[in-house]
Amino acid sequence: MVRPTVPEADREIGIRHPVLGHGFVALVDYMGEDAAIVQAARVSYGRGTKSVRDDRGLIRYLLRHRHTTPFEMVELKFLVRLPIFVARQWIRHRSASVNEYSARYSIVPDEFEVPPPDEVRHQSQHNRQGRGGPLDPAVVERFRSDLERVARDAYTVYSGALEAGVARETARLVLPVAYYTQWYWKVDLWNLFHFLSLRLDPHAQEEIRLYAAEVAKLGRLVCPVAFEAFEDFVLSGLSLGRREQRAIRSLLAGATPEAACKAAGLPLAREDGKPMTSGEGVEFLQKLARLRGEGSPGDEA
Ligand SMILES: Cc1cc2nc3c(=O)[nH]c(=O)nc-3n(C[C@H](O)[C@H](O)[C@H](O)COP(=O)(O)OP(=O)(O)OC[C@H]3O[C@@H](n4cnc5c(N)ncnc54)[C@H](O)[C@@H]3O)c2cc1C
């Protein structure tokens, strides 16, 4: 028997796709493809399904109805080089296997991330975790040169400590989170979708979103049908809570969005009358804007 493969994915194995200043994502290996999802599902649904649904239809049905385990039959392994501050966000996804470069065992290379000028922006006014509008160019340049100086000084101290005999596991304490690490990351397709749904989202930090986009491009080569379903139903999907459905019913009956929110108990103003900038009502209006095709649902994060 020959192992199932996908020529488009095989051509990408080992190719490093650059991300940020010194990072990359490479597909190292994979097990299974769209057919593996179908094969697993037919074990539970039996042969009968074949006659009523083609493979694409079955994959889309499974995804819509959150029948998740067939997607776990596909595994993908990546090699990723990333700054430590991105790695700290990425590692929170517990349902993957990781093997990281050991800074106890090996010397950390002198590579650190300095964001490009247009990525050094104001603290967001709406999102406490995000960045917002542009800054004075002088502030941007001072920050970038300060970061570069601090990183270079830290590496000088690190190298000096190693030369003086300090253990690598201790000397590394001086290095900032802008320094790079590297790991193998193996994940099944369902948990990859979960990772991507969180890390492609406009609320995720820009840097991890760039990595997620490269991971998604490579994953799509392995399972194009499953990825199309994921994009249709999860990434571009829209969930409506009970109050939001109530507001939609009011809208369909002719109410204005503000009146519909009021009737449904979706607040748009604070007690002092000032308009709210976040919360259920604001998010509902953002969903309406999306339905009207008026841009992304995110704020300026
Ligand atoms: C925009 C954004 C902002 C964030 N901000 C913060 C922050 O300020 N502070 C912070 O600490 N984290 C923050 N996080 C991290 C976030 O809380 C999650 O830890 C991270 O996104 C991983 O998600 P997960 O647990 O669903 O994924 P995984 O760890 O991959 O888990 C996948 C799923 O498995 C299940 N699961 C796994 N382990 C357990 C368990 N022990 N118990 C129960 N169920 C489990 C859950 O259903 C989970 O959704 C942020 C994440 C995002 C995307």
Side-chain angles (χ1 to χ4, degrees):
M1 240 171 120
V2 181
R3 177 180 176 270
T5 54
V6 183
E8 291 78 9
D10 287 352
R11 279 196 284 277
E12 280 294 330
I13 299 273
I15 295 179
R16 297 179 172 196
H17 296 268
V19 187
L20 303 181
H22 305 280
F24 64 80
V25 173
L27 179 67
V28 174
D29 203 357
Y30 63 93
M31 181 183 78
E33 17 68 285
D34 283 325
I37 301 166
V38 173
Q39 181 190 46
R42 292 206 196 285
V43 166
S44 45
Y45 288 139
R47 281 166 179 270
T49 35
K50 182 111 191 146
S51 54
V52 289
R53 274 200 195 91
D54 64 6
D55 291 357
R56 181 169 176 273
L58 178 56
I59 287 175
R60 292 173 71 80
Y61 172 88
L62 294 169
L63 206 124
R64 277 200 313 282
H65 294 271
R66 284 188 283 181
H67 185 150
T68 58
T69 46
F71 296 95
E72 292 173 24
M73 298 299 154
V74 178
E75 296 265 347
L76 300 105
K77 184 161 68 174
F78 298 92
L79 179 62
V80 188
R81 181 153 179 71
L82 68 176
I84 294 167
F85 73 91
V86 177
R88 290 200 57 199
Q89 297 175 337
W90 196 314
I91 201 71
R92 299 299 305 279
H93 296 266
R94 296 158 285 182
S95 41
S97 304
V98 180
N99 252 99
E100 187 174 4
Y101 182 93
S102 171
R104 298 180 68 194
Y105 210 83
S106 309
I107 294 174
V108 177
D110 186 11
E111 283 177 349
F112 54 90
E113 180 62 18
V114 179
D118 57 341
E119 287 303 337
V120 182
R121 301 202 300 268
H122 235 286
Q123 170 61 43
S124 167
Q125 299 301 307
H126 306 298
N127 179 350
R128 287 182 175 218
Q129 284 195 325
R131 64 193 92 160
L135 276 166
D136 179 344
V139 175
V140 172
E141 269 328 298
R142 193 169 64 239
F143 173 76
R144 294 179 77 246
S145 67
D146 282 351
L147 170 57
E148 187 136 1
R149 180 175 42 77
V150 167
R152 293 217 178 286
D153 286 353
Y155 204 82
T156 304
V157 174
Y158 174 69
S159 306
L162 294 181
E163 273 167 32
V166 177
R168 288 184 287 270
E169 67 176 9
T170 312
R172 66 175 167 173
L173 268 63
V174 298
L175 295 177
V177 292
Y179 269 86
Y180 274 75
T181 184
Q182 186 161 316
W183 61 34
Y184 283 100
W185 191 64
K186 183 176 75 74
V187 66
D188 67 58
L189 187 61
W190 183 257
N191 282 297
L192 177 62
F193 284 162
H194 182 64
F195 170 83
L196 293 176
S197 69
L198 292 169
R199 301 304 181 177
L200 287 173
D201 188 274
H203 293 92
Q205 186 164 340
E206 173 71 15
E207 284 80 1
I208 198 166
R209 286 170 63 193
L210 294 173
Y211 279 93
E214 285 304 322
V215 167
K217 269 189 222 159
L218 292 166
R220 194 179 290 115
L221 295 176
V222 178
C223 294
V225 177
F227 259 81
E228 184 198 39
F230 166 66
E231 283 160 356
D232 284 352
F233 300 123
V234 181
L235 278 191
S236 306
L238 196 64
S239 72
L240 292 173
R242 188 163 47 180
R243 287 172 189 226
E244 292 174 316
Q245 291 174 36
R246 224 181 276 155
I248 294 273
R249 277 195 290 275
S250 298
L251 284 172
L252 291 174
T256 63
E258 291 70 24
C261 284
K262 194 166 184 197
L266 296 168
L268 288 173
R270 294 201 304 241
E271 278 182 10
D272 60 9
K274 287 196 178 138
M276 295 174 81
T277 54
S278 59
E280 290 184 39
V282 173
E283 286 172 27
F284 176 69
L285 293 186
Q286 287 168 347
K287 287 180 186 179
L288 282 185
R290 254 182 95 183
L291 285 172
R292 291 194 202 99
E294 292 168 3
S296 81
D299 50 25
E300 57 188 355

